């Protein structure tokens, strides 16, 4: 690990100002992703800004019926919150499908949103990777691509976003609240939060340099049957090959977001009316334009069958 300096600010404004003073600094929350990356020297921030003392660990009701989840709320606490379990069961289920109990005890809401890809070549510093080293190439294209994206990827990068929580947040129409060094705040819809790679796969989100996530907001509950189904190579401690987050209403209308198939949680609102016609038509519309590799073409079929199972469960 490269040497680094460390500070522990006491407020979000102080943390954002510290980031402005140290442009190459990183925020550290639970550290469950960042420290691994630092040990492998994939990330080498000269300065760490510890955000654990910022008082961002509450879950508060919002006017109009939503919830405001502090950026530092641990994944375990969020999944167990009675309001989340009752009104946003999709989120609770997605969180519990991720990582392990020990990791969820440390992992935070903001850190989970910003975790980096699990593309094997990103973690191997001997291999070309445009995301790790812009302009170096992409060893995954033509390489081992079984886990990688089938849609939304580019000639520069075919990695997937690994977060389970983010898939549920996309289906729930959540938004990400931030504060910048100058004190300006903004709310970024989940639909706009994760970027597609294009020719700049190193830029993964809409965050600006030094911008701190302060909270995630959930709109008023929408009810419905909320199901998160994750298909993976083993029953725990594994990232999704395909996951389906669905909210199915009594009248048959549904929201559907997919994990494991794209560089960001994949939701196509215009395709959702097709759910009434069944999993096949729905998935053809949701994955319209998919360009799988010969190794991961199975994900297209798997996504359709997973949605079929989810719809059968939702409709009893
Ligand atoms: C073995 C293993 C298995 C896993 N399995 C799964 C899985 O199945 N599904 C899944 O979804 N996840 C999985 N994870 C990932 C895990 O969920 C993430 O590591 C965790 O959520 C990251 O949260 P953290 O608080 O530890 O983030 P950190 O490691 O502290 O930070 C991650 C990133 O977020 C940035 N950051 C943190 N807080 C803020 C903030 N407030 N504002 C701006 N930037 C911030 C940091 O600078 C860093 O870039 C797994 C991890 C491991 C190690
Ligand atoms: S797919 Fe993306 S993360 Fe993986 S090697 Fe290629 S550029 Fe790197």
């Amino acid at each position: 690990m490269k040497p680094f300096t460390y500070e522990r600010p006491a407020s979000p404004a102080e943390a954002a100002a510290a980031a402005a003073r140290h442009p190459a600094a990183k925020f550290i929350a639970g550290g469950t992703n960042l420290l691994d990356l630092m040990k492998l020297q994939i990330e080498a921030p000269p300065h760490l800004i510890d955000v654990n003392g910022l008082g961002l660990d509450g879950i508060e009701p919002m006017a109009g019926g939503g919830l405001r989840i502090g950026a530092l709320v641990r994944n375990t606490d969020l999944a167990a919150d009675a309001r989340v379990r009752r009104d946003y069961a999709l989120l609770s289920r997605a969180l519990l499908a991720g990582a392990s109990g020990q990791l969820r005890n440390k992992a935070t809401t903001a850190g989970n949103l910003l975790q980096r890809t699990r593309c094997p070549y990103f973690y191997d510093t001997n291999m070309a990777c445009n995301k790790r080293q812009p302009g170096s190439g992409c060893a995954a294209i033509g390489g081992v691509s079984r886990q990688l994206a089938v849609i939304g990827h580019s000639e520069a990068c075919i990695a997937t976003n690994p977060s389970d929580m983010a898939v549920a947040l996309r289906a729930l129409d959540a938004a990400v609240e931030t504060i910048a060094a100058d004190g300006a705040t903004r709310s970024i819809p989940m639909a706009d939060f994760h970027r597609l790679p294009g020719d700049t796969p190193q830029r993964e989100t809409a965050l600006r340099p030094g911008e701190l996530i302060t909270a995630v907001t959930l709109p008023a509950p929408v009810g419905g049957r909320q199901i998160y189904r994750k298909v993976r190579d083993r029953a725990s401690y594994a990232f999704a090959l395909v996951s389906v987050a669905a909210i199915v209403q009594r009248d048959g209308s549904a929201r559907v977001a997919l994990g494991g198939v794209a560089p960001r949680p994949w939701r196509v609102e215009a395709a959702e009316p097709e759910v009434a016609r069944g999993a096949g038509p729905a998935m053809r519309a949701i994955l319209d334009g998919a360009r799988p590799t010969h190794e991961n073409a199975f994900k297209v079929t798997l996504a359709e069958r997973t949605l079929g199972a989810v719809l059968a469960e939702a409709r009893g």
Side-chain angles (χ1 to χ4, degrees):
M1 198 186 271
K2 299 270 189 198
F4 57 88
T5 51
Y6 169 91
E7 72 179 288
R8 195 176 161 99
S11 70
E14 272 182 36
R21 281 197 305 278
H22 300 275
K26 295 286 289 187
F27 298 117
I28 182 163
T32 60
N33 190 218
L34 182 59
L35 289 177
D36 282 353
L37 295 169
M38 288 172 67
K39 287 177 199 164
L40 294 166
Q41 297 191 12
I42 294 165
E43 302 221 29
H47 188 69
L48 286 185
I49 302 165
D50 187 338
V51 294
N52 284 283
L54 305 185
L56 299 175
D57 36 23
I59 304 175
E60 310 294 342
M62 294 198 312
L67 277 186
R68 188 168 189 276
I69 302 158
L72 268 292
V73 174
R74 307 285 156 179
N75 290 178
T76 297
D77 297 333
L78 184 55
D81 185 272
R83 294 157 295 181
V84 174
R85 285 164 56 95
R86 186 188 63 222
D87 295 331
Y88 307 96
L90 185 63
L91 177 56
S92 192
R93 292 185 174 130
L95 284 161
L96 293 174
S100 66
Q102 285 165 314
L103 284 160
R104 292 193 298 269
N105 287 345
K106 285 298 284 180
T108 63
T109 305
N112 192 316
L113 274 178
L114 294 176
Q115 63 177 292
R116 311 285 315 265
T117 184
R118 294 284 160 169
C119 170
Y121 300 100
F122 176 72
Y123 282 83
D124 184 343
T125 51
N126 295 311
M127 306 301 285
C129 173
N130 286 322
K131 191 185 277 297
R132 179 168 26 78
Q133 195 178 348
S136 62
C138 172
I141 296 175
V144 176
S145 57
R146 181 173 179 275
Q147 298 274 354
L148 302 178
V150 300
I151 196 163
H153 50 300
S154 70
E155 297 304 312
C157 179
I158 61 171
T160 53
N161 182 297
S163 170
D164 290 295
M165 183 191 79
V167 185
L169 292 180
R170 180 71 178 89
L172 288 163
D173 282 336
V176 181
E177 291 189 350
T178 68
I179 183 168
D182 61 2
T185 59
R186 62 179 180 139
S187 174
I188 308 166
M190 268 301 286
D192 302 329
F193 185 75
H194 290 103
R195 291 165 45 97
L196 294 181
D199 55 7
T200 53
Q202 71 278 14
R203 291 182 58 204
E204 293 169 351
T205 69
L207 290 180
R208 297 174 186 137
E211 199 170 2
L212 175 79
I213 297 177
T214 50
V216 167
T217 56
L218 295 173
V222 293
R225 288 291 307 274
Q226 301 195 3
I227 298 171
Y228 188 76
R229 185 169 291 215
K230 176 176 177 179
V231 183
R232 46 189 156 173
D233 282 329
R234 51 172 193 257
S236 84
Y237 221 52
F239 292 88
L241 287 169
V242 165
S243 69
V244 172
I247 304 174
V248 184
Q249 303 292 351
R250 279 177 190 275
D251 65 4
S253 63
R255 298 182 191 181
V256 176
L258 304 183
V261 298
R264 66 181 182 199
W266 195 254
R267 182 173 172 202
V268 182
E269 280 89 335
E272 287 172 356
E274 291 295 301
V275 175
R277 300 178 56 223
M283 204 48 76
R284 276 193 288 284
I286 293 168
L287 292 181
D288 185 32
R291 289 178 297 124
T293 67
H294 71 284
E295 284 192 3
N296 67 18
F298 73 94
K299 286 191 178 190
V300 174
T301 312
L302 187 59
E304 179 186 325
R305 291 184 181 165
T306 308
L307 178 61
V310 165
L311 295 178
E313 183 182 339
R315 290 165 184 163

